[in-house]
Amino acid sequence: MGDPSSLRLVPASESAIPIDWTRVPEATKKFLIEQYGHDFDKGEDKPLPATIGDLAKMFDECKFFGYLTSSLITVLMDISEFGLQPPPPSPDGQAGPRFYMTYLEKVWYLLFAPGTRKCIMGYSDDFIRNYDNVDDAQCEKWVAEETAMAQAFDVTLVREVSRSMGVFVGITKKLGGWTAMTIESQLQYTQYAEAIMTLPTDHPAYHGLMKDVFRSFRG
C-alpha cells in the first residue's frame, strides 16, 4: 500500500554518470538490493545500478518520496559521498546528478552532491487537476506536462546552483522557486520522527508529532 513515485526525468547529461560501488559501504549496497533490487518474477537479486539513470529507474513506481526512512536517506548520502566522482574545482557551483519524479500532486527532485553528503531535495507546488472522467489519453497528457515541468525547472536549478544558491537552502527553504531542503536536515527530522514513533501513543511527544503530520496535510 502507499503511493509510488513515478520517474519523469533524468537529464540526458546526467543519466550515464557512473556509480563506483567499490567505494560504497557494504551495508548500503545490501540495503539497496534488499529493498529495491529483488526481481520477484525471477526470484533473484538484480545487479546494482551502474549509473544515475539506472538508480532512478530502480526507484520508479516504488515508495520513495514520502517514504524516506533514515536508512534510505543514509544510502543516498553514501552514494553521493562515496559512489560519485567529485567535479573538478570551479569558482562557480555545478549541479550534480539528479532525477525528477512525481509523488502525489507534486514533481519532486533529488540533487546529489558528488564527494559530499550535501544533497538537496525539493518539490513543486501542487497540481490543480480535475479527476472526473480520467482516461488513458488524459493520463498521458499529465505525464507529458509533468515531464515538461521538470525540464523547465531543471534549467532554473542549474542556473541557481551555478550562482551558489544551493548553499543557502538550509536558510531559505527554497531553490529556484520550489520548496527545497538539505537531505541532512531531512535525515535529522526522520530520525526524530522514528524515535518518537517508538513511544506510547499517549505520550505528549507522540501527540505533538501527529499534530505536525496532520498540519502538513492541510498545508
Side-chain angles (χ1 to χ4, degrees), residues 142-187:
W142 284 342
V143 169
E145 290 173 350
E146 293 159 8
T147 301
M149 182 185 299
Q151 290 171 330
F153 177 76
D154 193 62
V155 175
T156 301
L157 182 147
V158 170
R159 183 183 67 243
E160 292 296 283
V161 171
S162 72
R163 298 171 55 215
S164 299
M165 298 306 293
V167 175
F168 302 104
V169 162
I171 300 172
T172 64
K173 312 301 182 187
K174 292 282 186 178
L175 185 62
W178 286 15
T179 299
M181 66 208 75
T182 66
I183 206 168
E184 290 174 316
S185 68
Q186 185 66 21
L187 176 61

Side-chain angles (χ1 to χ4, degrees), residues 7-210:
L7 185 62
R8 290 294 177 259
L9 175 69
V10 183
S13 59
E14 315 300 314
S15 183
I17 290 177
I19 301 172
D20 183 358
W21 292 106
T22 64
R23 301 182 65 247
V24 176
E26 289 298 321
T28 291
K29 293 184 281 189
K30 183 174 184 290
F31 177 90
L32 191 64
I33 290 298
E34 288 180 347
Q35 297 297 316
Y36 294 95
H38 187 74
D39 189 326
F40 289 95
D41 292 333
K42 297 181 179 179
E44 61 186 26
D45 291 338
K46 302 174 186 177
L48 288 163
T51 66
I52 286 295
D54 294 333
L55 180 68
K57 291 175 184 176
M58 175 178 273
F59 297 135
D60 185 28
E61 298 303 328
C62 294
K63 290 192 288 187
F64 185 70
F65 287 114
Y67 302 90
L68 291 176
T69 63
S70 59
S71 296
L72 179 53
I73 293 173
T74 299
V75 164
L76 298 172
M77 295 169 78
D78 282 349
I79 291 172
S80 181
E81 181 178 11
F82 303 115
L84 297 176
Q85 180 69 33
S90 170
D92 300 320
Q94 181 175 334
R98 54 205 178 274
F99 57 81
Y100 294 81
M101 310 182 87
T102 54
Y103 168 64
L104 296 180
E105 304 297 312
K106 297 177 174 67
V107 172
W108 294 67
Y109 70 87
L110 176 65
L111 172 65
F112 289 98
T116 79
R117 304 177 79 79
K118 299 184 182 299
C119 309
I120 294 173
M121 58 181 285
Y123 53 84
S124 68
D125 292 337
D126 284 349
F127 308 135
I128 305 299
R129 287 175 172 165
N130 183 347
Y131 288 96
D132 294 335
N133 302 316
V134 176
D135 56 16
D136 289 345
Q138 181 62 67
C139 290
E140 291 175 2
K141 180 181 178 182
W142 284 342
V143 169
E145 290 173 350
E146 293 159 8
T147 301
M149 182 185 299
Q151 290 171 330
F153 177 76
D154 193 62
V155 175
T156 301
L157 182 147
V158 170
R159 183 183 67 243
E160 292 296 283
V161 171
S162 72
R163 298 171 55 215
S164 299
M165 298 306 293
V167 175
F168 302 104
V169 162
I171 300 172
T172 64
K173 312 301 182 187
K174 292 282 186 178
L175 185 62
W178 286 15
T179 299
M181 66 208 75
T182 66
I183 206 168
E184 290 174 316
S185 68
Q186 185 66 21
L187 176 61
Q188 292 171 0
Y189 177 79
T190 301
Q191 289 172 330
Y192 162 77
E194 290 172 350
I196 294 299
M197 292 302 292
T198 65
L199 298 174
T201 56
D202 59 352
H203 193 284
Y206 185 95
H207 283 287
L209 177 63
M210 291 301 101

